Amino acid sequence: MKKFVARLCLICLTIMGIFPLVGCKKEPKAYTRYEITAEYAPENCTLAGTAKVVFQNGTENAISTLKFQLYANAYRENALYSPISSSVRDVAYYAGESYGETSISSVNGSKNWEIVGEDENILQVDLLETLYPGDKTVIDISFLTKLAKVAHRTGVTQKTVNLGNFFPILCGYGSGGFYETNYFSIGDPFYSDVADYKVRLTLPKDYTVAATGAAQEERVLESKKVCTMSALNVRDFAIVLSKSFRVLHAVLGGVELYYYYYADKEPNRTFDAVKETFAYYEKTFGGYPYDSYTVVETGLCYDGASYPCLTMLSDNVQDKTRIRAVAHETAHQWWGNAVGNNPIENAWQDEGLAEYSAICFFENHEKYEIKREDEVTAALKEYRSYYDVYGSVLGRTDTRMVRHLSEYVNEYEYRCLSYDKAVLLFDTARKSVGNKKFFAALRKYYKTNRFKTVNSGHLIGAFEKSGADVHGLFDGFLSGKGIL
């Protein structure tokens, strides 16, 4: 055992020497490293690139095959699972139907590779040799991502280019091995473990780059420029490009905060909300573990979308809706990004915590005129309406909160259970155990589980360690046995 630990430490020290410590504060090293080199060509809406993946087996199992999600393939024509729901289709496809995909041209360092999955959404790579715990391998993937003209996570919008989920990313690893998922239009079907990233992007020089992680270098080469960025211990890496960005910047507790915008009528008000939510969550839940946080206004058919160190904020939302989106998506930097869970099967865990954290923020910032009592009452009203309507139409109402994204009938049901009922769960828990134990439990949950992927047991355990028994309460809500 001591020899194995020493070997792991030596490997980690070696990796630390190769990869500069940018983007994360004194945290343990990840087992995977991506070095992505790509070039964006606006004339044909493509991103051509290579991903060098250094994978070290940090599990207790032997691994002979790696599996990568190809999320951009969901934008294909006739894809089985479209990322765009019917309720926002007209807004998303602002110029009519458009399609995209990721194609793989080669995988070096592998014995064999193929595109598999129910919706051609998985790159399966058979390794040259079986990796035992602590072993490491390096593979190089060449890919071409064609971007649809769509106001969504991955696509060319009217003013920006959204590069979320644009590269092959390792599936999250759990008890059953690598976890594969289709791209459901309901919820966030993204499940990956923390990794270190270095991204080198070539693009026309008149574009401005907003991205996960810290900018290390920018070189101008005639009509183009090369931007190099890095981040450590993050679950993904996203970028937004635009020719129209203006930027607000501040430093808060040593963390660089940025707001990239072009259409916001009150950018200073929005940025004030970014700074205030960020400061509140740090004080309430624990220190932010990265060196920068960026909020970027962009074309998006939803109010917002969260990535590590970066929030996409829709250019269609204004006033209170925009502030609500800032509060919710910034909370995801704590719940979902730093502390990870499986959002395909336990969406309530990060969505509910993010939503309730936003309510707690507004409770402590009266100038926004959003009251905790009103928010909880509205959540209860919407949940009961769902219960009554679905009960009368379907003859039954399934109120389980623990369920796969594919089991939700529609976005309304998803919101009522993963947001509204989750808000009621956390507010009931808070009233039951008191403010002191409630917030102590969330601080412990955050401190203990940063950079890990956890389940409901870890959250309940944090309450237990803070002196609060909430087993029965959580079970009643999550299983649907309790009646509200």
Side-chain angles (χ1 to χ4, degrees):
M1 179 62 72
K2 288 182 179 178
K3 289 182 179 178
F4 176 66
V5 172
R7 183 184 176 198
L8 272 179
C9 290
L10 179 59
I11 292 172
C12 288
L13 287 171
T14 301
I15 294 175
M16 288 172 69
I18 296 172
F19 213 86
L21 287 174
V22 177
C24 186
K25 301 175 180 177
K26 297 180 181 178
E27 298 292 349
K29 292 296 296 179
Y31 285 105
T32 303
R33 184 171 80 252
Y34 295 84
E35 295 182 14
I36 299 171
T37 301
E39 180 169 358
Y40 174 61
E43 62 274 12
N44 50 20
C45 302
T46 58
L47 198 75
T50 60
K52 178 181 179 181
V53 183
V54 181
F55 175 80
Q56 181 181 350
N57 186 357
T59 76
E60 297 178 352
N61 306 313
I63 294 177
S64 57
T65 299
L66 302 181
K67 293 186 178 183
F68 296 79
Q69 289 284 164
L70 301 177
Y71 287 112
N73 273 357
Y75 295 87
R76 299 176 353 265
E77 186 175 10
N78 299 321
L80 298 178
Y81 296 88
S82 171
I84 317 296
S85 67
S86 57
S87 63
V88 296
R89 201 166 190 85
D90 291 341
V91 176
Y93 289 112
Y94 56 90
E97 292 285 332
S98 180
Y99 306 105
E101 65 178 331
T102 291
S103 57
I104 306 297
S105 57
S106 66
V107 181
N108 294 325
S110 68
K111 181 167 59 178
N112 183 52
W113 65 272
E114 58 181 325
I115 306 299
V116 297
E118 184 182 2
D119 203 14
E120 298 179 27
N121 57 310
I122 301 295
L123 168 62
Q124 180 173 293
V125 178
D126 298 325
L127 301 175
L128 294 172
E129 296 180 350
T130 298
L131 298 181
Y132 295 97
D135 288 346
K136 182 171 67 174
T137 190
V138 179
I139 63 172
D140 290 280
I141 305 170
S142 295
F143 66 92
L144 177 69
T145 296
K146 169 69 175 175
L147 300 172
K149 291 183 178 180
V150 61
H152 207 258
R153 290 174 177 266
T154 316
V156 178
T157 81
Q158 290 173 295
K159 289 283 189 179
T160 62
V161 181
N162 290 341
L163 300 178
N165 318 105
F166 69 91
F167 61 93
I169 186 170
L170 271 170
C171 301
Y173 194 91
S175 58
F178 288 105
Y179 189 97
E180 304 176 36
T181 180
N182 291 309
Y183 199 140
F184 303 100
S185 62
I186 296 174
D188 297 324
F190 312 115
Y191 179 21
S192 53
D193 298 314
V194 295
D196 296 341
Y197 287 85
K198 185 173 184 178
V199 179
R200 185 176 291 106
L201 177 66
T202 301
L203 70 166
K205 67 178 182 180
D206 53 350
Y207 280 86
T208 299
V209 178
T212 293
Q216 290 183 298
E217 182 185 22
E218 181 174 300
R219 293 185 295 116
V220 177
L221 307 172
E222 296 182 354
S223 63
K224 299 180 180 180
K225 64 181 178 182
V226 180
C227 297
T228 303
M229 303 150 282
S230 69
L232 304 185
N233 274 324
V234 294
R235 299 180 190 276
D236 204 342
F237 199 101
I239 304 169
V240 181
L241 313 175
S242 180
K243 298 178 182 180
S244 305
F245 281 146
R246 286 176 282 179
V247 186
L248 294 176
H249 169 254
V251 179
L252 194 63
V255 178
E256 305 275 352
L257 301 182
Y258 298 92
Y259 179 40
Y260 290 76
Y261 69 97
Y262 52 87
D264 193 342
K265 298 175 182 177
E266 298 181 280
N268 288 304
R269 181 172 184 264
T270 302
F271 194 41
D272 283 344
V274 172
K275 291 181 285 186
E276 289 171 349
T277 54
F278 187 90
Y280 174 77
Y281 298 145
E282 275 214 311
K283 178 182 177 181
T284 306
F285 305 125
Y288 181 73
Y290 307 106
D291 291 336
S292 66
Y293 173 53
T294 296
V295 175
V296 54
E297 184 179 43
T298 187
L300 203 63
C301 59
Y302 302 107
D303 291 352
S306 176
Y307 288 91
C309 308
L310 183 140
T311 285
M312 295 181 183
L313 187 64
S314 173
D315 59 11
N316 279 325
V317 295
Q318 299 291 339
D319 305 321
K320 274 190 178 181
T321 304
R322 175 165 288 228
I323 302 302
R324 285 177 180 272
V326 167
H328 178 90
E329 301 302 343
T330 300
H332 271 305
Q333 295 303 315
W334 278 257
W335 317 125
N337 288 321
V339 179
N341 59 278
N342 183 341
I344 296 102
E345 298 183 12
N346 287 287
W348 67 272
Q349 195 163 349
D350 61 294
E351 290 295 356
L353 262 180
E355 188 74 353
Y356 193 71
S357 297
I359 290 173
C360 293
F361 164 76
F362 290 123
E363 177 185 2
N364 286 273
H365 294 77
E366 295 180 358
K367 71 177 184 179
Y368 293 109
E369 300 180 335
I370 298 175
K371 297 180 179 180
R372 169 190 169 194
E373 295 80 6
D374 294 342
E375 294 300 294
V376 174
T377 299
L380 179 59
K381 182 179 180 180
E382 187 169 55
Y383 173 75
R384 283 179 172 169
S385 175
Y386 153 77
Y387 186 89
D388 292 341
V389 170
Y390 275 55
S392 62
V393 172
L394 301 177
R396 59 176 178 77
T397 304
D398 185 353
T399 61
R400 291 175 301 122
M401 296 171 68
V402 178
R403 62 169 76 184
H404 196 278
L405 289 180
S406 62
E407 296 181 76
Y408 289 98
V409 175
N410 52 33
E411 290 170 307
Y412 174 66
E413 183 177 48
Y414 173 78
R415 176 166 183 85
C416 287
L417 296 176
S418 297
Y419 285 69
D420 295 327
K421 193 178 181 184
V423 162
L424 299 174
L425 166 60
F426 289 117
D427 197 65
T428 303
R430 180 178 169 185
K431 291 175 180 175
S432 175
V433 306
N435 285 344
K436 184 176 181 180
K437 288 182 180 180
F438 179 81
F439 288 107
L442 292 185
R443 285 192 293 272
K444 185 173 291 292
Y445 174 62
Y446 176 69
K447 181 179 180 180
T448 305
N449 297 299
R450 285 194 307 185
F451 311 117
K452 299 177 183 178
T453 301
V454 298
N455 55 39
S456 60
H458 295 85
L459 179 55
I460 294 170
F463 276 92
E464 274 194 330
K465 291 175 182 177
S466 300
D469 183 2
V470 295
H471 265 98
L473 174 66
F474 271 74
D475 180 64
F477 271 82
L478 299 181
S479 66
K481 298 174 184 175
I483 298 176
L484 296 174

